Amino acid sequence: VYDLDKVVYFQSAEDLAAYQKDHSKNDGLLYTTTVRRGTTLPTADAPAATREGYTFQYWSREGQYQDVTGQTVSGWTNLYAAWTPNTDTPYKVEHYKQELDGTYVKADTDELTGTTDTRATAVAKSYTGFTVDKTVEGTVESGIIAGDGSLVLKLYYTRNSYKLDFNNANVIVKSETIPYEAALSGYN
């Protein structure tokens, strides 16, 4: 009985660290087995490790940061999955244009990809008669690409306004500021 040891598999190094600080935090605990001391680590017996936005690389041991396949059991052993972030994780950039009544309507959506857990920054488009306005409430100019593809960045474009001077014999009789694409009324 004394030559048997536990081998415990965790979803990630972070999950192992959280468990070591507080044993009630076992969300990342994947699998536990008992093996005879001196035998090869049973990495092939572990359940398939999955993590959205990442590719599984290998099982690693505390402090080793390398593939431990083929190593022997010499006591209680904690293993964790080593991951590589995917470079093709989807995220979106939504572009909203201001209507004449001041509300915003989605004009375009860019379906993009990037590396999981890195920062993505929205690139403004060029719309005739509109200017990107990063002060509009709801603007999300940048964010961290989530492994589940849920990141949505949002840019808003305000309607440009133009000053029109109406003159008679080179005398300005009226000045008006008109938003782009607004209809002029009362002038023939």
Side-chain angles (χ1 to χ4, degrees):
V1 177
Y2 292 106
D3 64 342
L4 294 179
D5 289 303
K6 290 254 187 215
V7 178
V8 184
Y9 296 82
F10 290 88
Q11 178 74 10
S12 67
E14 296 81 14
D15 289 326
L16 170 57
Y19 180 76
Q20 287 173 327
K21 287 180 184 172
D22 179 354
H23 288 304
S24 69
K25 295 188 183 214
N26 59 4
D27 292 344
L29 180 66
L30 294 176
Y31 176 68
T32 301
T33 190
T34 303
V35 296
R36 188 169 301 282
R37 183 172 292 153
T39 60
T40 302
L41 282 169
T43 55
D45 297 340
T50 59
R51 186 176 177 189
E52 284 187 302
Y54 288 84
T55 300
F56 174 78
Q57 293 299 301
Y58 50 79
W59 291 105
S60 189
R61 223 177 200 167
E62 293 175 82
Q64 291 194 7
Y65 311 106
Q66 64 186 12
D67 189 349
V68 297
T69 302
Q71 291 185 8
T72 57
V73 176
S74 58
W76 181 298
T77 305
N78 291 321
L79 301 178
Y80 62 87
W83 302 98
T84 299
N86 293 345
T87 58
D88 61 351
T89 305
Y91 71 97
K92 295 179 185 178
V93 178
E94 296 177 347
H95 302 269
Y96 294 83
K97 289 168 56 176
Q98 186 180 43
E99 295 287 295
L100 287 168
D101 66 2
T103 61
Y104 289 86
V105 171
K106 190 186 314 179
D108 287 303
T109 300
D110 299 332
E111 304 278 345
L112 303 168
T113 60
T115 301
T116 302
D117 283 337
T118 62
R119 181 163 296 281
T121 301
V123 175
K125 290 184 176 274
S126 178
Y127 293 110
T128 301
F130 293 85
T131 302
V132 68
D133 184 351
K134 296 174 184 174
T135 66
V136 174
E137 185 176 337
T139 296
V140 181
E141 187 179 4
S142 69
I144 301 299
I145 299 172
D148 64 0
S150 61
L151 177 63
V152 179
L153 304 177
K154 297 179 181 185
L155 293 179
Y156 291 82
Y157 300 79
T158 53
R159 201 171 274 277
N160 295 341
S161 293
Y162 301 93
K163 183 179 178 199
L164 299 177
D165 291 329
F166 299 92
N167 67 61
N168 185 2
N170 292 329
V171 175
I172 295 175
V173 292
K174 184 175 185 176
S175 287
E176 249 184 87
T177 301
I178 307 291
Y180 176 71
E181 294 181 323
L184 293 174
S185 59
Y187 301 100
N188 293 330

